[in-house]
Amino acid sequence: QVQLVESGGGLVQAGGSLRLSCAASGTIVRIENMGWYRQAPGKERDLVATITNGGDTNYADSVKGRFIISRDNAKNTAYLQMTALKPEDTAVYYCHADVRPSWLPKFYDYWGQGTQVTVSS
């Protein structure tokens, strides 16, 4: 079984910083893309940032220049460093990964349980 576990969310004032972590566990052959998505109350889940196994990154326009996604392939872990946070960044942040488990012949989508980020004005 593969699990993604997020950590690092919390309450921060506008202009502050937070670092989210997403650790994948289980018998994993390889993880391709990893990413962060967020969902605010009453809204759809939106992409925040993604990173390939090789380190290529992609960001939503709303977070460019403020957020940095990174990963440690040896630890099957992705990170999201968030700076200059704004109240509109308030949401539940979900980790996603394209994982090939050892017992399956192809890649599957996995999601974490989500971590709340609240930015006060």
Side-chain angles (χ1 to χ4, degrees):
Q1 185 175 359
V2 172
Q3 287 188 315
L4 302 183
V5 178
E6 300 111 333
S7 60
L11 173 64
V12 65
Q13 289 189 330
S17 299
L18 282 175
R19 188 188 193 215
L20 305 183
S21 298
C22 169
S25 63
T27 309
I28 295 170
V29 174
R30 182 178 173 89
I31 301 177
E32 288 296 341
N33 297 327
M34 298 189 77
W36 291 94
Y37 293 73
R38 66 187 181 187
Q39 187 168 19
K43 295 189 177 181
E44 295 184 348
R45 188 175 298 187
D46 293 326
L47 178 146
V48 176
T50 61
I51 184 168
T52 67
N53 184 278
D56 293 329
T57 58
N58 179 55
Y59 296 91
D61 287 343
S62 59
V63 307
K64 284 180 181 177
R66 300 189 298 122
F67 292 10
I68 297 175
I69 188 170
S70 61
R71 64 189 283 176
D72 184 334
N73 290 336
K75 296 181 178 179
N76 288 332
T77 299
Y79 306 93
L80 186 68
Q81 179 67 49
M82 304 185 293
T83 61
L85 282 161
K86 305 174 181 179
E88 51 263 43
D89 294 319
T90 295
V92 178
Y93 283 69
Y94 295 91
C95 177
H96 169 267
D98 297 318
V99 179
R100 186 189 164 194
S102 62
W103 63 92
L104 293 172
K106 61 180 183 177
F107 289 85
Y108 289 85
D109 291 333
Y110 287 90
W111 291 89
Q113 81 286 353
T115 185
Q116 177 70 46
V117 171
T118 302
V119 184
S120 63
S121 58

